[in-house]
Amino acid sequence: MSPTMKDNVVLITGGGGHIGRATGAELAKQGCHLAILDRAGPHIDAFCAEMTAAHGITCNLIEADLRDASCFDAVAAEVKDRFGRLDGLVNNAAFYDDMPGWGVPFDEEGYDAWQAVMQVNLLAPFFLSQKLTPLLRARDAGAIVNVASIYGVVGPDHGLYAGTVMTNPAAYAASKGGLIALSRWLSTVLAPDIRVNTVTPGGVERGQNPEFLARYEAKTPMGRMATEDDVAYAIVSLLDPRASYITGQNLIVDGGWTAW
């Protein structure tokens, strides 16, 4: 347990997802209380119960639809009401709903899908940061970590996906590239009270097509895809107050993918 993080309160958007749960589990080990922003579901209830039992922390679901512009004030009010403080914000949620024009070839990408992706992946991090700034600023050492993607930094090699149903939509890349730029912008505007950094993961292994997996690993110096824990450790390290002189940075966690 980190004595510098014990009893800190951290809000994780998309907290019920793979990276969100891994990050929450690592923060709970450090003694942090968790606000899990996501859609309600038994898996989140089970996760919160597990974290509370294992680490003696408070873990609450904050239910919100990040495509609804009215949710941001409500989230800020609920965090203040339930916890009374906020030390860290992890903007981890990413659009994944099945809708026309999403997850399709370039010439089929749709306007509505682009709009939905931007609402969740880029607009929500900005407006949550805006509405939660008073709570973070009150701590004198608040921290925001935005979770981007290597496809916000480099273009895709579509040959990786040949023979699979996997895609790499332009809207996703544009939203994550924008998130990296937003982090830099926020880091100068919110300093010195609040630090803002980005964690940019490479691909995370989740039982993908074996041909894709072999191709991806061959392009990665470390010879494997990432795990959720690889990404979670990077996020938590940037939230730790001991990283007090690190802001405006993009920590790429990709096993060397972008080094070649």
Side-chain angles (χ1 to χ4, degrees), residues 21 24-26 28-29 34 46-57 59:
R21 290 198 307 273
E26 184 60 35
K29 290 177 187 176
L34 305 176
F47 174 76
C48 285
E50 179 186 355
M51 293 300 101
T52 299
H55 306 291
I57 55 97
C59 184

Side-chain angles (χ1 to χ4, degrees), residues 29-48:
K29 290 177 187 176
Q30 306 307 320
C32 294
H33 305 292
L34 305 176
I36 304 295
L37 191 154
D38 213 319
R39 297 170 180 172
H43 66 294
I44 297 180
D45 294 337
F47 174 76
C48 285

Side-chain angles (χ1 to χ4, degrees), residues 170-252:
Y172 179 80
S175 69
K176 293 302 188 177
L179 187 58
I180 294 167
L182 175 62
S183 295
R184 287 194 296 265
W185 189 91
L186 287 171
S187 72
T188 63
V189 171
L190 300 183
D193 306 309
I194 302 169
R195 298 182 298 107
V196 185
N197 292 288
T198 308
V199 167
T200 291
V204 178
E205 199 280 317
R206 294 192 189 118
Q208 289 94 335
N209 177 289
E211 292 184 8
F212 166 83
L213 186 60
R215 293 169 188 153
Y216 193 99
E217 290 175 345
K219 290 175 65 72
T220 307
M222 294 300 292
R224 64 174 178 87
M225 297 188 78
T227 68
E228 281 87 9
D229 288 341
D230 291 327
V231 183
Y233 177 77
I235 293 169
V236 173
S237 68
L238 289 173
L239 290 171
D240 194 314
R242 290 174 292 183
S244 63
Y245 203 55
I246 302 174
T247 197
Q249 302 306 304
N250 181 20
L251 177 55
I252 301 178

Side-chain angles (χ1 to χ4, degrees), residues 8-89:
N8 279 6
V9 176
V10 180
L11 172 66
I12 307 170
T13 73
H18 296 283
I19 291 175
R21 290 198 307 273
T23 301
E26 184 60 35
L27 286 166
K29 290 177 187 176
Q30 306 307 320
C32 294
H33 305 292
L34 305 176
I36 304 295
L37 191 154
D38 213 319
R39 297 170 180 172
H43 66 294
I44 297 180
D45 294 337
F47 174 76
C48 285
E50 179 186 355
M51 293 300 101
T52 299
H55 306 291
I57 55 97
T58 300
C59 184
N60 290 155
L61 169 67
I62 294 181
E63 191 172 358
D65 179 359
L66 293 178
R67 294 174 60 182
D68 179 357
S70 68
C71 83
F72 306 117
D73 283 316
V75 167
E78 190 167 353
V79 170
K80 185 175 182 180
D81 181 59
R82 289 198 185 194
F83 296 93
R85 59 185 277 189
L86 186 66
D87 300 275
L89 167 63

Side-chain angles (χ1 to χ4, degrees), residues 102-104 109 158 167-174:
W102 168 249
V104 294
E109 288 198 39
H158 286 284
T167 60
N168 194 308
Y172 179 80

Side-chain angles (χ1 to χ4, degrees), residues 63 83 117 122 149 151 192:
E63 191 172 358
F83 296 93
V117 171
L122 187 55
S149 164
Y151 292 118

